[in-house]
């Protein structure tokens, strides 16, 4: 019977799942995902979390608990320190494996491999090779598994660059019956959604904002549809470099889309109580107010956010964008 490795469908799942899945499966493990986010998972996350946690971290606690209940042999919660040279990600990622161990009763073994790209790419490669040794004594097999994971990640990123959203890209890669590749987004407005991946792509905490907008005739684009070079080039316009990798992606994408002639408006999604989000939102908004006057909406999510309020704000925002685009607007007052 193969070893079951659980992966929470939370936090950087939306960035790295193909790498993790192919890596563990190549080493003979069975990868088990937590269920899709729902009220029960968020409620259990809130019950098992620490007081200072932000919304996506609370949700991540719920996903870890969901895996513990399945059950699995291991839960993979990498200690993510840095995913780019001389940059960091939020310290809440760094402490997450310890917080989960401390707060969730009955947790199976946690694999908390440290991922730190802060100094050298080599450190990350070594971390995966060390991790692989847990499941295979054959270093060649471990190396092959890691390279297979990297190839899967490259393919996934290519699909995002072609305009697919994460769940579509994963369906194309792993679900042979998926028709996602044939679906062409269409609508009369192009709206950029800027936010942390675990906020904008999680259908439950985002209140399905992407699907909702699509059903209202909007083509949605996100930071992940832009190349790394482009977002870094745009973020480089800041007088001082941001050392948060995800914040750089958001600012770079915000600046890019603000200048794009195809974009009709920008929606920034923030998590209540998130320091980095309040700063990125402010920087993107100031840039827009100062130059393009593109319609901009800031939505802040927490567990008490009401769906009706979000829908009303989205509808009002889209009405305003459509009115602004209308050639007859000067005759209506
Ligand atoms: S960046 Fe913000 S939303 Fe993300 S984990 Fe940190 S505090 Fe939470």
């Amino acid at each position: 019977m193969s070893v079951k490795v659980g992966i929470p469908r939370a936090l950087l799942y939306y960035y790295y799942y193909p790498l993790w899945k192919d890596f563990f499966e190549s080493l003979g493990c069975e990868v088990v995902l937590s269920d899709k986010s729902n009220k029960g998972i968020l409620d259990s996350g809130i019950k098992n979390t620490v007081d200072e946690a932000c919304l996506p971290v609370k949700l991540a606690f719920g996903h870890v608990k969901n895996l513990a209940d399945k059950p699995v042999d291991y839960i993979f919660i990498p200690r993510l320190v840095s995913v780019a040279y001389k940059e960091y990600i939020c310290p809440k990622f760094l402490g997450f494996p310890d917080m989960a161990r401390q707060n969730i009763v009955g947790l199976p073994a946690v694999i908390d491999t440290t991922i730190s790209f802060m100094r050298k790419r080599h450190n990350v490669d070594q971390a995966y090779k060390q991790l692989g040794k847990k499941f295979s004594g054959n270093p060649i097999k471990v190396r092959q598994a890691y390279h297979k994971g990297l190839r899967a990640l490259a393919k996934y990123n290519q699909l995002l660059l072609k305009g697919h959203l994460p769940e579509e890209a994963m369906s194309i890669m792993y679900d042979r019956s998926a028709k996602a590749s044939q679906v062409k987004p269409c609508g009369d407005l192009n709206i950029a959604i800027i936010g942390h991946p675990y906020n904008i792509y999680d259908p439950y905490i985002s209140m399905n904002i992407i699907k909702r907008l699509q059903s209202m005739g909007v083509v949605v684009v996100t930071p992940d549809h832009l190349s790394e070079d482009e977002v870094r080039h745009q973020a480089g316009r800041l007088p001082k470099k941001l050392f948060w990798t995800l914040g750089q992606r958001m600012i770079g994408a915000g600046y890019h889309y603000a200048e794009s002639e195809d974009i009709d408006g920008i929606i920034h999604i923030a998590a209540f109580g998130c320091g980095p989000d309040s700063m990125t939102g402010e920087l993107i908004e100031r840039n827009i107010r100062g130059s393009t006057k593109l319609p901009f909406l800031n939505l802040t999510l927490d567990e008490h956010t009401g769906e009706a309020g979000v829908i009303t704000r989205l509808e009002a925002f889209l009405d305003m964008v459509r009115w602004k685009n209308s050639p007859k607007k000067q005759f209506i007052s």
Side-chain angles (χ1 to χ4, degrees):
M1 225 171 61
S2 53
V3 173
K4 288 185 181 175
V5 177
I7 297 184
R9 208 187 279 258
L11 300 178
L12 291 196
Y13 155 82
Y14 293 100
Y15 275 4
Y16 295 117
Y17 178 63
L19 163 61
W20 297 337
K21 175 180 162 64
D22 280 37
F23 175 71
F24 285 118
E25 287 185 350
S26 299
L27 293 172
C29 305
E30 182 187 339
V31 169
V32 179
L33 264 177
S34 54
D35 296 339
K36 289 189 176 170
S37 299
N38 55 42
K39 184 171 176 347
I41 288 182
L42 180 58
D43 286 349
S44 114
I46 292 168
K47 210 167 109 198
N48 289 283
T49 197
V50 291
D51 289 346
E52 303 76 23
C54 56
L55 179 65
V57 167
K58 286 176 188 166
L59 186 73
F61 271 90
H63 279 279
V64 173
K65 178 77 172 85
N66 179 262
L67 286 169
D69 294 342
K70 276 192 180 289
V72 294
D73 301 299
Y74 296 96
I75 301 188
F76 183 54
I77 315 179
R79 188 182 303 282
L80 293 157
V81 179
S82 159
V83 294
Y85 180 60
K86 288 198 174 172
E87 289 172 13
Y88 287 103
I89 54 174
C90 176
K92 288 187 175 150
F93 285 81
L94 201 158
F96 186 52
D98 301 321
M99 292 192 288
R101 269 199 201 97
Q102 193 66 33
N103 287 276
I104 303 177
V105 180
L107 210 58
V110 169
I111 303 174
D112 63 351
T113 307
T114 299
I115 304 293
S116 178
F117 201 155
M118 179 59 189
R119 296 193 193 286
K120 293 189 237 157
R121 162 89 220 201
H122 180 67
N123 293 349
V124 179
D125 299 342
Q126 285 306 108
Y128 277 98
K129 284 176 191 161
Q130 279 299 114
L131 167 61
K133 279 188 194 166
K134 203 175 182 65
F135 301 99
S136 170
N138 181 343
I140 296 175
K141 193 173 173 191
V142 171
R143 197 171 62 235
Q144 285 172 342
Y146 180 46
H147 285 282
K148 190 165 179 223
L150 289 178
R151 283 196 300 277
L153 185 63
K155 185 175 173 190
Y156 173 69
N157 288 332
Q158 281 301 321
L159 287 167
L160 297 182
L161 285 178
K162 281 185 185 163
H164 292 288
L165 293 160
E167 291 294 354
E168 287 167 6
M170 288 185 209
S171 295
I172 293 166
M173 289 176 71
Y174 299 120
D175 177 1
R176 286 171 195 278
S177 61
K179 295 271 190 295
S181 57
Q182 294 161 21
V183 176
K184 285 267 173 293
C186 59
D188 65 322
L189 293 180
N190 295 321
I191 301 287
I193 307 273
I194 309 286
H196 281 108
Y198 36 83
N199 290 329
I200 62 177
Y201 298 130
D202 187 284
Y204 185 72
I205 57 171
S206 74
M207 282 172 260
N208 232 339
I209 188 164
I210 292 182
K211 285 245 160 61
R212 245 180 238 291
L213 285 168
Q214 287 171 334
S215 71
M216 294 173 182
V218 169
V219 176
V220 171
V221 291
T222 72
D224 304 305
H225 293 140
L226 299 175
S227 71
E228 189 67 19
D229 286 349
E230 175 60 14
V231 287
R232 285 190 176 274
H233 165 71
Q234 293 286 350
R237 288 163 48 192
L238 285 173
K240 190 162 182 274
K241 185 185 171 190
L242 267 191
F243 52 82
W244 307 113
T245 301
L246 302 188
Q248 281 219 55
R249 285 199 69 74
M250 288 154 62
I251 300 236
Y255 285 10
H256 169 93
Y257 288 129
E259 286 181 351
S260 166
E261 288 185 359
D262 301 334
I263 295 297
D264 300 294
I266 293 184
I267 300 177
H268 177 254
I269 310 266
F272 180 75
C274 169
D277 270 349
S278 53
M279 192 180 66
T280 47
E282 179 70 22
L283 287 170
I284 294 169
E285 186 171 6
R286 276 191 200 182
N287 175 55
I288 290 172
R289 302 269 173 259
S291 54
T292 62
K293 308 281 186 278
L294 201 66
F296 177 84
L297 174 68
N298 189 42
L299 278 179
T300 301
L301 305 172
D302 78 352
E303 66 262 36
H304 307 299
T305 308
E307 203 166 300
V310 169
I311 296 171
T312 307
R313 291 189 67 193
L314 286 181
E315 285 174 347
F317 180 69
L318 295 185
D319 282 350
M320 186 263 290
V321 176
R322 287 196 171 101
W323 173 81
K324 185 172 175 283
N325 288 355
S326 158
K328 290 185 185 161
K329 66 176 180 291
Q330 60 270 38
F331 302 118
I332 306 166
S333 60

